[in-house]
Amino acid sequence: MDAAERGSWEPIVGAIGPKLREARQQLGLSLQQLAARSEVSAAAIHKVERGDMVPTITTLLKLAGAVGRPIGHFVDDGAPPAPVATLIRADERPAAPPEWAPAADGVDATAIALPTARLPASGVIAEVDPGGGSGDTRPQRPGEEVLFVLDGTLQVEVAGERYRLRAGDALHYPTDRPHRWHNAEALPARAVWFSVRS
């Protein structure tokens, strides 16, 4: 391997230790506490942080998981890190995910949070026209959902149980059971759904 090739990866490898130490200190963890979390010995962590040892991919995966960082955080090439939070501006909301309510009718919905590998929760805000609703049954999948009505009224059915939600009401339910909702009133309803898949 020539010096140019070696020079391209040496800074990346050399940055792993300081990045690990910084992440550990931000969490207020001692070497021993990180060792217990990661199942990597405190001595090995100390060597990695000092740059005396290059961790194996398995060790790096364990350490990354223990400090709540993606593995890419430790081996990036100096590009700006991805933001910790995701901002969606009011005028830039994407469409609701197609699987949210594929049979919905009379519903204008946009996403306020989209799931990612790191942040699995999602959120949708929707206006439901009079007579509009989710369709007969929304897709069933492992997880849970919180429905919060902002304006108007929604009729909700979860596994045969019926609920009438007015403005300010919330309903928390599992999404692995049959569930559906509709607006039986003469005025539009607005509501927010927060979902987490398990």
Side-chain angles (χ1 to χ4, degrees):
M1 177 182 300
D2 63 29
E5 288 178 322
R6 187 169 58 252
S8 67
W9 58 260
E10 279 183 344
I12 296 171
V13 172
I16 292 173
K19 288 179 179 179
L20 177 61
R21 182 172 54 251
E22 179 186 22
R24 175 177 64 79
Q25 290 173 346
Q26 285 177 348
L27 293 171
L29 298 174
S30 67
L31 286 170
Q32 290 73 21
Q33 288 170 323
L34 180 55
R37 274 191 181 198
S38 64
E39 299 180 351
V40 175
S41 74
I45 294 170
H46 184 61
K47 287 181 180 178
V48 170
E49 288 187 355
R50 288 174 46 123
D52 295 338
M53 182 178 93
V54 177
T56 65
I57 187 68
T58 301
T59 298
L60 190 55
L61 283 167
K62 288 179 178 180
L63 292 169
V67 295
R69 301 290 176 91
I71 195 167
H73 170 78
F74 297 98
V75 293
D76 68 19
D77 59 1
V84 174
T86 302
L87 172 64
I88 297 179
R89 298 281 184 196
D91 59 350
E92 298 173 354
R93 287 184 194 142
E99 68 275 9
W100 172 69
D105 183 49
V107 179
D108 181 19
T110 56
I112 56 174
L114 292 172
T116 64
R118 190 170 53 87
L119 300 170
S122 62
V124 170
I125 185 168
E127 181 163 320
V128 184
D129 294 336
S134 63
D136 286 344
T137 303
R138 293 175 71 207
Q140 296 176 44
R141 57 188 180 275
E144 57 191 285
E145 191 163 66
V146 176
L147 165 58
F148 181 75
V149 176
L150 299 169
D151 297 301
T153 304
L154 285 177
Q155 305 287 340
V156 185
E157 184 176 330
V158 179
E161 300 173 357
R162 291 182 172 82
Y163 303 90
R164 183 173 185 267
L165 276 65
R166 297 183 298 271
D169 291 344
L171 186 65
H172 189 183
Y173 51 89
T175 52
D176 62 354
R177 304 293 298 277
H179 55 286
R180 59 185 177 178
W181 42 263
H182 73 282
N183 181 1
E185 306 297 319
L187 297 173
R190 280 193 327 127
V192 175
W193 285 258
F194 290 103
S195 305
V196 178
R197 295 187 184 185
S198 53

